[in-house]
Amino acid sequence: MRNRHLAAIPLAAFLLTACTSATDTVPLTTPTPEPTATATPTPAAGDFAWLNRHDSSFNSGDAYYEMVYRNHGGLLLKTDYATAAQTVACTVPGCTHDSANCPAWFPGRYSYYCPFVADGAVYVLNASFFHTDQTWEEYREEYLTPQLDSTDLTPEELEAHYYGLWQQQSAAPQVYRLTDDGKTCIDLPAESVDYEFVFCDDAALYGVMTSGNNGQNTKAVRVDLTTGALQSVPLEPTEYFVTCYDGALLTVRYVTDAPLPDDLEQFRAAVQSATVEFDRYDPRTGERRKLIERPYNIADERFSGYLGTHNGKLYLRSARPCRAAATTAAPCRSMTPLTAAPPRCGTRPRPATCGITGTPTRTSCPPGAAGPRTGFGCTAPTAQWAATAVI
């Protein structure tokens, strides 16, 4: 069983390019007028897009896709921006949208599925944080049986709920591609469960994994959406994906004279002299461009005041922590990186959804709880951090 999270938050609405997908024509709402080493660089395949695993949703530019709770599982809905009509992402005639026969319905906890659009096709990633090797009988005995006398669900409803969770958690890492008459499944390598897949382009998913007592060790991979093949993505020491930027990815890393130690006290001492560098990095070609470096700041260890990106600019909070009596931080300098172009998506990702195996009731669905921004020693902004820098 693994639980992983992203140490990032969004700044603005998603700025993604348009992609299309056929969906059920019956509106749900009334429209309103308002790892192997990479031998050679991978060819570029469209712009990057951020996978919103926090809300299990995706903004394709012309539509909004979201997973919702239906019939003890997840159902994929599409809201078309041109018509403001919401429909089920299914085109099968007469489909009841309540079983695996429906392209848009998935078993288990809906918030652990993540939709996205790549090269005009709609995909759904099974992004469960929990995995089990138990048989259904073992899983049933451990999780379902103790709930038989403590819920208002019928035994049949309870079994449907937990059987769906077991299907989701016992499945190999998978990506589903929706088709006109169903869905196809792409099996991913077993080691994929160790990575947090947070970005895609038209041909692949991109995931990152952190390790070490201080999260300073990072690895990244690329998964081909056609074959499921896994490739390693070169990263600099401590480098971490942040968001989409100027046709590539924005990354952040510590720059130090020597590798950072794993011991907590030694790490705290060594990192004091580090700088925090932001780069524009394209993992498909290996092209890298330094944007700016910031002094290490213990109040925001990993991002040194970074808030987000918009219109080709980086926004950063003052790096100086404020005293209790202060209400604003000192003024900040500003600049714009050369040749910066408007990004496809300009938000800083939120933390991944947290949650545990639970039992729903008839009147409430079991959504995951969104955790606060606590990764890498960060805390939520307050009025004492009012000043921002535009970089």
Side-chain angles (χ1 to χ4, degrees):
M1 182 177 294
R2 299 178 174 87
N3 193 346
R4 306 179 297 277
H5 64 277
L6 299 178
I9 59 174
L11 175 69
F14 313 129
L15 307 175
L16 306 180
T17 56
C19 297
T20 61
S21 174
T23 60
D24 192 335
T25 57
V26 180
L28 295 180
T29 58
T30 303
T32 55
E34 319 246 315
T36 52
T38 305
T40 57
T42 304
D47 287 338
F48 285 94
W50 171 53
L51 274 60
N52 186 356
R53 296 182 60 169
H54 177 270
D55 291 331
S56 299
S57 63
F58 188 84
N59 181 349
S60 69
D62 63 351
Y64 181 74
Y65 296 85
E66 59 181 323
M67 296 294 299
V68 298
Y69 179 75
R70 293 288 191 279
N71 300 300
H72 307 289
L75 187 66
L76 181 61
L77 305 181
K78 173 187 176 181
T79 301
D80 186 275
Y81 293 151
T83 64
Q86 187 180 74
T87 57
V88 178
C90 169
T91 57
V92 178
C95 183
T96 56
H97 314 310
D98 59 2
S99 73
N101 294 326
C102 173
W105 187 91
F106 300 85
R109 188 176 288 261
Y110 76 96
S111 58
Y112 292 159
Y113 290 102
C114 184
F116 62 98
V117 175
D119 197 24
V122 179
Y123 293 84
V124 174
L125 170 67
N126 180 6
S128 176
F129 293 93
F130 302 97
H131 302 275
T132 182
D133 296 325
Q134 292 177 308
T135 65
W136 163 236
E137 290 73 20
E138 294 169 337
Y139 190 91
R140 186 183 191 281
E141 183 65 24
E142 181 174 350
Y143 295 104
L144 186 154
T145 301
Q147 302 295 328
L148 288 173
D149 298 325
S150 60
T151 177
D152 60 351
L153 295 179
T154 66
E156 292 75 16
E157 291 172 325
L158 197 64
E159 178 141 341
H161 170 71
Y162 278 101
Y163 186 70
L165 289 177
W166 174 77
Q167 285 181 298
Q168 182 183 41
Q169 295 174 16
S170 62
Q174 294 170 327
V175 173
Y176 299 91
R177 176 172 176 163
L178 275 60
T179 62
D180 290 339
D181 57 355
K183 55 195 170 203
T184 59
C185 179
I186 304 169
D187 290 327
L188 306 183
E191 57 266 35
S192 298
V193 301
D194 296 325
Y195 292 86
E196 187 82 15
F197 290 97
V198 286
F199 297 100
C200 71
D201 59 19
D202 284 341
L205 284 170
Y206 296 83
V208 66
M209 174 179 65
T210 60
S211 60
N213 291 335
N214 309 289
Q216 75 273 28
N217 303 320
T218 56
K219 294 173 63 177
V221 293
R222 175 187 185 274
V223 172
D224 190 282
L225 288 174
T226 301
T227 65
L230 193 77
Q231 287 181 316
S232 64
V233 172
L235 291 179
E236 293 293 326
T238 74
E239 188 169 25
Y240 190 81
F241 295 155
V242 179
T243 190
C244 310
Y245 180 79
D246 189 20
L249 294 178
L250 179 70
T251 67
V252 64
R253 63 190 177 102
Y254 292 128
V255 178
T256 58
D257 294 331
L260 290 169
D262 196 50
D263 177 80
L264 179 61
E265 291 187 4
Q266 294 179 9
F267 174 88
R268 294 294 187 195
V271 79
Q272 298 292 326
S273 60
T275 56
V276 178
E277 179 176 306
F278 291 89
D279 293 346
R280 177 197 179 275
Y281 174 54
D282 191 332
R284 301 166 297 194
T285 64
E287 179 187 358
R288 178 186 302 278
R289 174 164 56 90
K290 178 180 175 180
L291 299 176
I292 189 174
E293 65 178 30
R294 302 267 291 175
Y296 170 81
N297 175 21
I298 194 171
D300 191 355
E301 297 176 276
R302 200 63 167 96
F303 296 100
S304 191
Y306 170 79
L307 291 172
T309 65
H310 184 62
N311 289 339
K313 296 181 180 180
L314 277 65
Y315 289 78
L316 299 104
R317 188 189 305 117
S318 169
R320 180 180 64 82
C322 301
R323 297 180 181 274
T327 57
T328 59
C332 302
R333 61 190 178 87
S334 65
M335 61 174 287
T336 302
L338 297 177
T339 69
R344 177 180 179 186
C345 59
T347 60
R348 181 176 177 180
R350 302 180 188 177
T353 300
C354 305
I356 59 174
T357 301
T359 304
T361 65
R362 292 181 188 276
T363 57
S364 64
C365 302
R373 178 183 172 227
T374 56
F376 298 106
C378 302
T379 56
T382 67
Q384 294 179 337
W385 294 93
T388 60
V390 181
I391 303 299

